[in-house]
Amino acid sequence: MANEANNPALPAGRFQEIISHCKEYGYIFQSSEIYDGLSAVYDYGQMGAQLKKNLRDYWWKSMTQIHDNIVGIDAAIFMHPTTWKASGHVDNFSDPMIDNKDSNKRYRVDHLIEGFAEEQLAMSKEELAKEVLASMDLLIAKDDFAGLKKLIEDNKIKCGISKTCNWTDVRQFNLMFSTQIGSLAEEADTIYLRPETAQGIFVNYLNVQKSGRLKLPFGIAQTGKAFRNEIVARQFIFRMREFEQMEMQFFIRPGTQMQWFNYWKEERKKWHESIGIPAEKLRYHDHVKLAHYADAALDIEFEFPFGWKELEGIHSRTDFDLKQHELFSKKKLQYFDNDLNEEGKPYGNYTPYVVETSVGLDRLFLTVISLAYKNESWKKEDGSDDSRVVLKIPPMLAPYKLAILPLLKKDGLPEIAKQIMDDCKADFYCFYEEKDSIGKRYRRMDAIGTPFCVTIDHQTKEDNTVTIRYRDSMTQERIAIADVKRLVMEKIAF
Ligand code: ATP
């Protein structure tokens, strides 16, 4: 049977294989590639767009359909510029950067130091790596920029291009993209491309609560594009300048935030496991430095091919955002808590607290693809070698669910195949293919991750059965045409 050359922790050197595979099979292309691309911006192709939609739909359903106290909205990307003043993004949404004076290359300080620590690890200098990272965490937590520069200089951390230690001071660099709204004639205003979807939820909190007659605790979910002018944009779709977030803000009574923080921490990890991510490839990472709005925060990290990195953030945002919007808009964004009276406490108007779950759709995509990608090889019965590249994407997420393959292009086999296609295509995505040998067609379906193939042959004409082939085990069995649709539907149910 097949030997999995690539287990989930794909060696970093083979990450490039996944990137090439994504391009070759229509999953992901570099943006505007014919003009040599745009750094850290990517387009999803015909396969990728469908996988991304399936992930988004599953998240949306899990949040808004399964939880009867969570509703979904779709706020605009452009927002009144004061939103970002109130949220703190204009003043605080920045990363410490440092420039090398010889190469003029700009680095995010944490990335520069992490890169140095990785090099030390590769040279088995574990103690030094740990020590440097621990010092960095402390200095970042204190916003000690002079200390960060000293750490870089003391360890003689060099620029990858000039190979010198000739550094500028450490400075803050705002990550928001700005543009102008309105024509010049009518005094154009600077506005920002949203760096997170969350603020669209906060400014709509009262609209949704009132129009939906929602009672605390309740959540508002949203998926959509976010934009950050990442300085060191790298690792394929892990860190992009335009990306998609799936966020949910859960509005709660003040004082209950740790209870809900722990609830969502568990819930979200379970959700990731429900899409086939092995529990041992996920871990929690508590934040050392809390963002200006949080009283507790952690990341759910996944072991990407290039190491453990953040996949999702869970933040207890207190009443910071709503209070700030009250302050800047001069509108009350409070909740009238009727239930308090029933509990024997006086009625109360208060600003709700919020626990946020925020996952990057592109990072989730990368997680699924890097787990799914396998390069398998095995010995055939006659002793010869065989191999394949397969995307073992969970059936419920795979772009195409069923390939329908007439063995020959004649003898009425395509007609039967098209009938099966007509019967199934309203319920799930089917791929019809009559070219090439059946072996080649199976390999192509493996490469794009289609979990089931049915082959129509001469026996089909006699007994109305087809061969179904399972992608993961490569086993085959004969089943009645009448059972095909039900079988696939059972396996792909959300
Ligand atoms: P990082 O520390 O990796 O920069 P972050 O802590 O700034 O991430 P959050 O602001 O918590 O990220 O955003 C929530 C989620 O959005 C992240 O967990 C991640 O999945 C996703 N995300 C953030 N920035 C990017 C990006 N540049 N490209 C792709 N996804 C991103």
Side-chain angles (χ1 to χ4, degrees):
M1 202 47 258
N3 144 48
E4 285 185 7
N6 290 0
N7 65 19
L10 196 73
R14 310 211 35 203
F15 185 41
Q16 195 53 43
E17 278 183 26
I18 298 183
I19 300 174
S20 308
H21 191 87
C22 282
K23 180 175 175 195
E24 188 177 346
Y25 289 96
Y27 273 88
I28 298 173
F29 310 121
Q30 174 90 56
S31 157
S32 10
E33 196 193 67
I34 57 166
Y35 296 104
D36 296 333
L38 185 64
S39 165
V41 187
Y42 290 91
D43 296 340
Y44 287 83
Q46 65 280 20
M47 292 296 155
Q50 193 59 43
L51 170 56
K52 197 173 168 201
K53 179 177 184 306
N54 293 346
L55 279 166
R56 192 191 297 111
D57 287 351
Y58 180 58
W59 181 89
W60 186 261
K61 182 173 175 184
S62 313
M63 282 295 178
T64 65
Q65 189 174 332
I66 304 300
H67 293 94
D68 53 13
N69 59 351
I70 300 182
V71 296
I73 65 165
D74 183 12
I77 287 172
F78 290 146
M79 300 183 71
H80 191 284
T82 310
T83 309
W84 305 110
K85 192 81 197 138
S87 68
H89 283 82
V90 171
D91 297 322
N92 291 318
F93 193 57
S94 46
D95 280 329
M97 303 286 172
I98 193 163
D99 294 6
N100 183 273
K101 291 186 197 162
D102 298 321
S103 64
N104 289 326
K105 174 121 180 89
R106 179 164 293 168
Y107 292 87
R108 241 176 83 170
V109 167
D110 56 339
H111 288 167
L112 185 68
I113 298 174
E114 278 167 10
F116 171 77
E118 272 165 30
E119 282 167 24
Q120 303 314 302
L121 273 181
M123 295 187 290
S124 305
K125 295 187 185 166
E126 238 171 73
E127 279 306 306
L128 177 60
K130 270 195 201 151
E131 206 179 288
V132 169
L133 289 178
S135 311
M136 177 186 83
D137 279 347
L138 283 177
L139 292 165
I140 289 182
K142 288 192 285 182
D143 282 335
D144 183 349
F145 298 148
L148 283 166
K149 184 175 180 190
K150 189 163 178 308
L151 184 67
I152 292 170
E153 287 175 341
D154 287 352
N155 286 284
K156 303 198 172 45
I157 301 180
K158 296 194 178 78
C159 162
I161 294 173
S162 68
K163 313 286 182 212
T164 69
C165 300
N166 193 8
W167 297 108
T168 60
D169 286 342
V170 174
R171 279 165 307 174
Q172 291 285 56
F173 181 89
N174 196 292
L175 299 181
M176 282 197 295
F177 285 101
S178 60
T179 186
Q180 306 291 316
I181 199 164
S183 68
L184 283 179
E186 52 170 274
E187 242 183 69
D189 247 335
T190 297
I191 56 164
Y192 299 99
L193 297 189
R194 66 181 178 198
E196 61 173 29
T197 57
Q199 297 305 323
I201 294 178
F202 291 126
V203 299
N204 277 301
Y205 151 75
L206 207 54
N207 281 336
V208 176
Q209 191 268 323
K210 288 231 153 93
S211 59
R213 301 158 58 86
L214 298 171
K215 286 178 107 180
L216 246 56
F218 70 89
I220 305 180
Q222 170 166 232
T223 70
K225 288 283 176 106
F227 305 83
R228 295 182 188 178
N229 198 2
E230 302 278 5
I231 287 306
V232 185
R234 53 178 184 177
Q235 288 153 340
F236 195 34
I237 55 169
F238 179 80
R239 189 172 299 288
M240 301 156 88
R241 296 202 164 106
E242 173 180 342
F243 58 99
E244 193 164 336
Q245 288 186 315
M246 304 194 291
E247 298 199 299
M248 192 277 299
Q249 311 296 326
F250 201 67
F251 297 87
I252 53 176
R253 273 188 193 165
T256 62
Q257 65 267 34
M258 282 324 291
Q259 171 200 328
W260 286 111
F261 179 75
N262 289 326
Y263 172 84
W264 283 109
K265 162 182 166 179
E266 303 280 326
E267 214 33 41
R268 293 303 302 150
K269 186 157 174 286
K270 276 193 246 153
W271 185 87
H272 289 294
E273 289 168 28
S274 78
I275 57 167
I277 306 178
E280 66 276 12
K281 295 283 153 203
L282 294 166
R283 72 177 188 195
Y284 296 119
H285 170 77
D286 290 314
H287 284 201
V288 179
K289 182 186 179 189
L290 291 175
H292 57 278
Y293 50 74
D295 70 353
L298 61 82
D299 300 335
I300 297 178
E301 294 188 337
F302 170 69
E303 191 177 16
F304 285 95
F306 37 82
W308 288 97
K309 300 272 178 210
E310 171 176 348
L311 171 62
E312 170 153 10
I314 315 285
H315 308 125
S316 170
R317 294 182 79 128
T318 67
D319 55 1
F320 175 84
D321 300 88
L322 291 181
K323 277 257 166 74
Q324 284 294 103
H325 289 305
E326 285 190 319
L327 189 70
F328 280 75
S329 68
K330 304 195 175 50
K331 310 254 166 40
K332 285 247 170 289
L333 296 176
Q334 294 199 329
Y335 178 76
F336 180 68
D337 199 334
N338 252 325
D339 292 345
L340 282 175
N341 196 41
E342 280 163 26
E343 291 167 25
K345 298 173 194 143
Y347 287 123
N349 266 325
Y350 55 79
T351 311
Y353 268 43
V354 173
V355 170
E356 161 186 83
T357 71
S358 173
V359 59
L361 178 50
D362 312 87
R363 281 191 194 175
L364 192 61
F365 187 110
L366 184 57
T367 302
V368 169
I369 281 281
S370 45
L371 282 171
Y373 181 88
K374 314 269 182 209
N375 196 338
E376 296 181 337
S377 56
W378 65 93
K379 282 242 178 283
K380 290 203 289 198
E381 270 168 20
D382 64 5
S384 60
D385 293 325
D386 207 349
S387 65
R388 66 170 180 166
V389 172
V390 54
L391 289 183
K392 291 186 172 174
I393 302 171
M396 72 170 182
L397 299 173
Y400 283 99
K401 311 299 186 190
L402 177 68
I404 301 171
L405 316 170
L407 191 62
L408 300 173
K409 254 194 266 181
K410 55 183 186 184
D411 301 339
L413 303 185
E415 285 73 13
I416 303 175
K418 282 182 179 147
Q419 255 173 21
I420 299 177
M421 179 100 180
D422 285 344
D423 188 35
C424 294
K425 70 183 182 192
D427 293 291
F428 48 81
Y429 280 84
C430 302
F431 196 101
Y432 180 84
E433 178 84 275
E434 53 183 32
K435 281 195 298 288
D436 291 333
S437 72
I438 197 71
K440 273 196 185 149
R441 282 184 267 170
Y442 283 157
R443 285 292 184 277
R444 190 171 157 74
M445 288 303 113
D446 286 344
I448 63 171
T450 307
F452 311 103
C453 296
V454 288
T455 305
I456 295 90
D457 57 16
H458 289 98
Q459 193 185 327
T460 310
K461 291 194 351 190
E462 286 160 26
D463 62 6
N464 280 324
T465 63
V466 289
T467 302
I468 185 159
R469 185 232 189 215
Y470 300 97
R471 176 197 66 196
D472 294 354
S473 60
M474 290 191 281
T475 52
Q476 304 185 8
E477 61 179 328
R478 260 199 109 97
I479 61 167
I481 290 180
D483 290 337
V484 170
K485 182 160 141 184
R486 184 186 43 80
L487 188 143
V488 176
M489 296 280 279
E490 272 170 21
K491 306 265 186 200
I492 64 172
F494 264 22

